[in-house]
Amino acid sequence: MPARAVGGIMGLNPIPIIVPCHRVVAGSGLGGYSGGLPGHELETKRRLLEFEDALPQPLF
């Protein structure tokens, strides 16, 4: 049910903010990522973040 509530609230937002999934990181590390070649997902995520100069400092 919480997913429906969040979906409903987001549906009412006239100006949605979209964050690419590779930009979402966990507090304890890079977290997950489903993009890239199978078995190389986090490698792809790290390359994208480095390319954008967006890799958080504690994750180096």
Side-chain angles (χ1 to χ4, degrees):
M1 288 298 185
R4 286 182 184 238
V6 171
I9 292 168
M10 296 302 291
L12 297 174
N13 185 358
I15 306 171
I17 298 173
I18 299 171
V19 178
C21 62
H22 71 274
R23 284 291 192 101
V24 178
V25 295
S28 60
L30 284 180
Y33 182 61
S34 61
L37 297 173
H40 298 278
E41 295 89 352
L42 288 181
E43 184 180 315
T44 301
K45 181 175 186 169
R46 180 178 291 279
R47 277 199 322 265
L48 287 168
L49 290 170
E50 287 173 347
F51 176 76
E52 297 173 352
D53 198 26
L55 191 63
Q57 292 301 319
L59 297 177
F60 277 104

